[in-house]
Every structure is written in C-alpha cells, then in structure tokens.
Amino acid sequence: MNREQVIDVCDNNWNPTAATMYRISHRTMEQSAHGQWIHDNEGNKFLDFACSYGVFIVGHTQSYIQQAVQKQLDQVAIKPYGSCDENTIKLMAKLAEMLPGDLNRSYFCNSGAEAVELAMRAAFEANPKRKKMVVISDSYHGKTLGALNILGQTGHRTPFTPLMENVEYVPFGDIAAMKKAIGDGVSAVFIEPVLGGPYLQVPPAGYLKQIECLCRETGSLLIADEIQTAFGRAGKMFAIEYDNIVPDMIILSKGLTGGHAAIAVTVMSEALESKLIDEQGIDPRLLTSGSGGNPYNNTAALAAIEFIEQQDLTGRAQRLGTRLLTGMRQICADYPQLVLEVPGIGLMTGLKCANPAVETAITMVMGKQNIHLGHSMNEKAAHPVLRFYPPLTVTEQEIDQCLAALEQTMKRLGSRPKLMFKLLNQLIKRQYTLPRKFLYKLTGVKQAA
Amino acid sequence: MTTNIEQFNAHAPNSWQQEFIGKVVIKAKNATLTYQDGSEAIDLASGGFGHQQADITQAVKKQVALMPLSNRVMISPTLAEFVKTLDQATPAPLSVSYICNSGEEAFDGSLKLAKGLHRDRFKVVVVRGSDFGSLSFASLFKEIDAPTLAHLPLKPVFVEANDEEMLLRAIDDETLAVVYEPVLVGDDITVLSADYLSCMRELCHQSQAIMIAYEVNSGMGRFGVDFASELSGISPDTLVLGGALNGGCVPVGAYVTRKAINDTVYGDKNPSLHGSTTGGNPASCVAGQKAVEVLQSKKLSARQAALGQRFSQELMCRDKVEVKHLGSLVLLNFANHKLADSFRQQAVAAGINIARAKDNTLTLRAPLTITDQEVDTAIATLNQVALNLFENKEIA
C-alpha cells in the first residue's frame, strides 16, 4: 500500500482522527530504525527525541539485544503453560537483585496498564477494609478502563466517568495535601517518582521519603509507578533511589526491553505476597496475566538491562542530561512568552509550553528539521510539557544537533506575535471537531479525487 | 550455585508456581517442547497457535531487525496491513480494529468503548461460565470470590447460557453491554444457540447495549471455524481476539467493532484517547497478520474438526472417561477429581502436558499446528496412561 492507501485504511479500519492528523501534519511512513535514528519510506531520517515517551532507552534495534532476541525467536517465543525459560528466570533474579528491600516477586504483564491493574487488585485485597486510593493529580497510569479508575489526567478519564469512587487526587510535590489524604482507610498511594506525561515535574528532595513515612505510619501500601522513569531515564537505575525509598510494589515497563517488545512487570515485596497468599488467601487468578511473561519479551528485557549496566547508561543519562537541560534552559530563557519552564532530570526533560499551540508549533518546526519530540497530544493541558526523551545512547553531537535546531526554532517562533499562538490555540482545542476539508485547506493537503 | 529451579521458586509469582511442572523450556516446535534436561513433551495445555511456524517466525524476525516497536510519530504501514486483514477476516459488519498488547487488554478496550457510548450505564449482562481473561473487569465477571472487586464501577448481572427468558429479564435500557463467549467450556462444551444469540441481538438492538463476543479462546479456528461466532451466524457488535492471534510468536490482541460505534465514541476525539505505548507495535502486527494468513492458507480451522474427531475416537478410555469434543478442544470427564488429577500427573510424567483439572474434568488444548505425528504420539501415550491408571498396567 502507498501512503494514501495506508491513511485510508487507518481512516476506515482503525482511528479516523489519527488518519486526519497524519494528513494535516504531512507525516510519512516509518520503515526502519537504528540507534537514535528513524528512517521513512522516502529516504528521510529523523533523530528520535520522542522515543515513545521513553521506550527506546538503548536506542533502536540495538545489536546486543537484537542478537539475543533473534536467537530466542528461533527457539521459543511464547510461554507454554506450566513451563518457564531460562532468560525469564534470570530476569526475575536480576530484578530482585537490582531492586531494594524484599521486592523480589515478578508478576509479568503485557503493558503498563495491565501491571497497574494488577497492583490495584493486590492493594485492595491486601487490606479489604481499606477502600480508598490516593493518586496524584495529572498522573499517568495507563488507559485501560480498569487503570482509568486511578488516572490523574482528567482529559483521558472524563469521557468515561463516572468511574470508581473513593479515589482522592492530590497535587504532586505537595506533602501537606498528601498528609491530609493519607489515613487509616487508604489502601494504597500510587506515585510516579518523577511526574511524567505532559505535566513533567521533578519533586522536591525528600518528598518521596516523606510519603513513604506517611504510608508506614498509616499502614497504607506504597506503589511506585516507574514505567517512564526506570532503567536510567531519570539518571538513576530507579528514580526511587533519589530518596532511597522501598515501595511495596514497583511497576516497570517502557524502557525494559530496550524497545523490542511490549512488556510490564509489577514487582511485589515478598512480605506483601505472603500476606496476600497466606493471610488473605487471595484467589491466584487475581494476580496473574493470562498471556504475560513470554520468553521473547523477557529475553529482550534481560539483554537490555545487561546492556544498560555494561555501558553505564545511567551515568551517561546524568552527564548528557545536564548538557541537554542546560542547553534547553539557555535557549528558552530568551522566550518566556513561549516556554514557562524547562523541567527535567537525567534524560527526562521537556519544555513547559505557554499553551498547546506553542507545543505544537515547536514540534512542527523541529519536525521540519528532522527531529522527533514527544508531543503530549493533550490539548486540554493548560501548559503541556513537550518532552525531549532521547535514547540514553544519544551522543553529545546529537544533543548539540537538537539544541541547534531548537535555537533556530525558538528564533523563528519567538518573532511571531503572541496573539498568533492564542488564536492557533483556539484552533487546536477544536481540531478534532472541525470539518476535515477546512483542516486540509488550512494545511495544504491535496485531497485525492 | 543457585539452580534455575531454585531461582524460579524464589522469584516467580504464585500463580506460575501453582502450575509449574518443574522444567525449563529451551525450544518449542508446533506442539513439542524441549526441556533443559533433554526431555521432550507434547503440549496439550496451552492451546494457542503452535510454535515456530516458519512463515510467521521469519516475517517477525525480519520486522524485529527493522523496527520491532514504533516511536508512534509516523504512519505505521504494518498496523494498516493488520487492521485491513482483520477487516477482511472477521464477519461483517465488523470493520474497525483497535490493536492491543493482549486479548485481555482488548476485552477491557471493548468495555471502554461501550462505556464511552453509554457513560451513565453500569450494568453488564454476563453469560455465566464465560472466561474473559485476567484483567480487573474480567475477574469481576468470572465471579471470583473477591469482595474488593466490587469497588469497580461496572456491575455484572449473570444469565445462564441458552436461557432466553433470563436474557429478556436482564437486558434493558440500563444495560451497558452483554458479554459472552460463543462456546463455553466447563465440564461440558456449550455452544450458544442461534436462537439465544438472535434474541440477545434483538434485545441489544432495542436497548442499544453493546454485544461483545470474547473470542480469545474460541477465535482463530479452535472450533472448526475461523471465529466461533460463525457457528450461530449472529455477529456481535464487538469481537475480541487474542490468544492464537499471536501466531505463537509475539503477544497481540484486538477488538473489531462496527464503524458506527467506533466513530460515535472516538470519531471526533483526540486520537490518543484509546492509544497505548506499545499496542499495535510493528512486530505484533506482523505476527497477527501472518497468523491470520496462515490460518486461512493452511485451512487450519477445518483441520481442528478432524483433530478433535481423532482424539475422541482413538482415546481408548471411553468406558471409564466421558470424552467430548468440539473442533480440536477435547474434554475428559472423570468419575472424580482425584482420578482426573492422577491421570494428569501420569500424563505429564509421560511427556504430555495437560492443564490442571477443573473439578472432575481435564481439557486438552492442542496448538492449532500440532502435527499428525504429534497427535499419534499424544494419543498413544494417553492410552498408555489410561491403561496404567484403570488397569494398573505399567507404561511400556
């Protein structure tokens, strides 16, 4: 199929608004990827600072991981009932070795949302009399209908409400609000150690430790969602290391297979598992994934962790993160009308934009310079953070290339009147309900007869 | 030095430990598993597509070398090819697919679609005995004894299979969705009748409730047709797929629905409203597309009916065990649980993997691509097990 045919199929058989977006943003078709670069079917290549919000932590098709998974695909890819493969066993042992405390029971799932749901079920069952969950406003924990029950981002949740009651949302970084929310009736607190998504925010030092203390005082479980932050993205192997906290469950996903397979794992403390099994007599079907934990996925994960350790990508994220963040801050300091802040830690960085129109404009101009960024796709956020999440294998030259492009972009956009972004923002807020013909005309899309 | 088994016991989840047969798998082909200790087994426990289908494995390996996952900025031709294939393969008028990481996610996605259509409805009519996978709502609909599931916002109302009166009483204007497996597998195999599903269809039409067929277990040929919904000829509003759709290679799930429903819920919304980081990734789309192609080109569905027939006719314990089958799924009903469990244990020891007995029943689920030779070996071995168990004769 050619590009037009592919978009037509997307329109008719998949996601109509995605198809419109492909047309109006003049996207091309992905073909292959290697290292930090993605190649399209027209011979163009793009520097990937989007990374699917953190998946490609070791770059694309990294050869160390490729060797392992190609071999595994020739042997056994899907887990047979009642069996286990050596790489999965090694992965479970490796995770137990890397994680603090007695976090040593790996419950594999197919996605972060599945793993969040499993953690939610485990938390409720551990203390059946506790009926309340505490989560962070604007947090992201996945979009299955089950996970939506504790999703902080209202834009994704509202079209499906009312959902589960007894969920309290508290602002990130606000320990007073957390103190008020946590009490004897709270089953668990879900926390991203660095708030991700379009609300990227690094917490004040000691914030996580204080939450851990509150949980221990009140008997609430602490669940760390490290789907975006783990495996070096935030400059530590796990972001919980910044405050040396030990949650009762930790959820890992995105970077885990180095961009080779869908995977997530909820690693549970041995004490919590014992409580669930021995004291509560939980039905084991509540703590399982019917199709998670496959040799192909887990082989990729084991190889990715080995590669991250061998190459000290965590240290690299700290070093190069400083270079990237410093550069972004220097460039954007001259454009306070467009960029309000430049939050970040490690190679988890972004631009807090004045409004969604600014975010879109920067993304588009950077795209024209063949650099992909992590657009929030969230027109409801007042000040969305446009994410710069390069692979941790990114080179200094590639960071400089991105910064040079950003400088050009800001110069170009900085000269535009502020009113233009206000008007554009009104358009962006309504973009999915506007007639296609209007959008096509506005963006110069030539329609097929 | 710590052995693999010791490490497994130290770190594997409880659910895995309960089913673990104590062996580390190093290779698999069709239905045959090869273990680290050099032994082999034929897998009649997992179902699924079957391992190492050359067409599928080669295509997936090629895609993995190029781009296993996407950064989701550009247009994905592999996703487009897959959804086009699903449109052509599934019964009309189903045409729009949402590709997920698993069948479990696909079922959840189908409920989310229904909830997006009817935000203020909470009642889900569930055909009792169906199995919808392992996520939270699926657990709620399985009647697992877990009061905390009551925190979830949907409320199930259970109806019995093929009881139209119950459907009439249960489905009303407050019903969000009706969920069912077209074929229920317990101690019997129950096919939901055309009359029953026709009645459900009409009631869903009247109430605008969404009719969701869960075909993760029954789809992809298991019961002698590509999708079990074909047995009745009644199409649901949403068909949920997974399981064997992975081609024995990369996990994938999908729901396929009517365009009118999809467009009402998602047609003028942000496209990321039902997106996922890895759902619809290129490697999984290639696996799924090739799985459907191989299913059709090798006529695997028709073959399943013949396989079930063979097991049913050639297993020689029929005076002691009630044998039933539909497609290639075979039930062995024993006089009691102990006997069923003993049979299973001896079968596993003799190299035929069977899942744990549910009450008095063992279920044989061969992979779709099990070879004739593997079937010969499985039947011969199970007959020996039966001889040993019922007549106290040693296995040769």
Side-chain angles (χ1 to χ4, degrees), chain B residues 341-364:
Chain B
D341 197 42
S342 298
F343 186 93
R344 175 189 175 262
Q345 284 182 29
Q346 291 189 28
V348 171
I352 306 297
N353 287 357
I354 302 174
R356 281 180 179 278
K358 194 176 171 192
D359 300 325
N360 305 342
T361 304
L362 292 176
T363 307
L364 308 185

Side-chain angles (χ1 to χ4, degrees), chain B residues 359-379:
Chain B
D359 300 325
N360 305 342
T361 304
L362 292 176
T363 307
L364 308 185
R365 288 187 176 88
L368 300 181
T369 60
I370 189 170
T371 64
D372 289 340
Q373 198 181 355
E374 287 169 335
V375 174
D376 292 343
T377 305
I379 289 173

Side-chain angles (χ1 to χ4, degrees), chain A residues 27 111 114 125 143 145 377, chain B residues 73 102 105 108 148 270 272:
Chain A
R27 305 271 173 95
S111 70
E114 286 189 7
E125 286 295 310
K143 288 185 293 205
L145 191 61
M377 297 289 294
Chain B
V73 173
S102 65
E105 258 193 12
D108 182 280
T148 57
N270 186 318
S272 72

Side-chain angles (χ1 to χ4, degrees), chain B residues 37-212:
Chain B
D37 63 6
S39 63
E40 287 191 343
I42 292 174
D43 185 358
L44 299 185
S46 306
F49 197 91
H51 300 276
Q52 295 295 321
Q53 273 299 296
D55 292 353
I56 301 171
T57 303
Q58 290 312 313
V60 167
K61 287 186 71 176
K62 193 175 162 195
Q63 184 60 48
V64 166
L66 286 172
M67 180 186 271
L69 300 186
S70 161
N71 80 343
R72 300 188 301 141
V73 173
M74 302 168 83
I75 304 165
S76 171
T78 52
L79 189 143
E81 292 283 358
F82 186 33
V83 297
K84 190 178 167 192
T85 298
L86 287 175
D87 172 30
Q88 290 163 352
T90 53
L94 306 177
S95 65
V96 174
S97 293
Y98 176 52
I99 311 300
C100 304
N101 296 295
S102 65
E104 291 96 320
E105 258 193 12
F107 179 63
D108 182 280
S110 72
L111 291 171
K112 185 178 168 183
L113 179 76
K115 188 73 164 62
L117 194 68
H118 300 302
R119 280 178 62 181
D120 295 323
R121 297 189 187 187
F122 302 93
K123 183 165 113 180
V124 178
V125 174
V126 181
V127 176
R128 180 169 275 134
S130 304
D131 184 340
F132 304 104
S134 54
L135 286 184
S136 304
F137 288 106
S139 303
L140 181 67
F141 300 161
K142 261 195 277 196
E143 297 184 275
I144 289 178
D145 182 21
T148 57
L149 290 172
H151 296 311
L152 294 170
L154 302 184
K155 304 299 164 205
V157 170
F158 293 92
V159 294
E160 300 299 330
N162 292 331
D163 184 336
E164 291 165 42
E165 288 298 319
M166 284 190 88
L167 281 184
L168 283 164
R169 286 197 299 271
I171 301 172
D172 56 26
D173 290 349
E174 293 178 357
T175 306
L176 171 73
V178 183
V179 296
Y180 64 98
E181 284 192 293
V183 178
L184 307 176
V185 178
D187 59 2
D188 201 353
I189 301 169
T190 306
V191 179
L192 298 191
S193 70
D195 285 347
Y196 180 73
L197 289 172
S198 180
C199 173
M200 186 190 289
R201 175 74 279 163
E202 179 55 30
L203 291 168
C204 285
H205 179 71
Q206 287 169 14
S207 63
Q208 298 296 298
I210 303 299
M211 187 168 157
I212 300 172

Side-chain angles (χ1 to χ4, degrees), chain A residues 74 123 130 185 243 264 273 315 394:
Chain A
D74 280 331
R130 293 171 176 247
D243 269 3
E273 192 193 60
V394 68

Side-chain angles (χ1 to χ4, degrees), chain A residues 76-95:
Chain A
V76 53
I78 296 288
K79 177 186 176 297
Y81 174 95
S83 300
C84 200
D85 64 289
E86 189 166 23
N87 286 337
T88 297
I89 294 170
K90 282 182 178 168
L91 176 63
M92 292 190 289
K94 183 70 190 168
L95 290 171

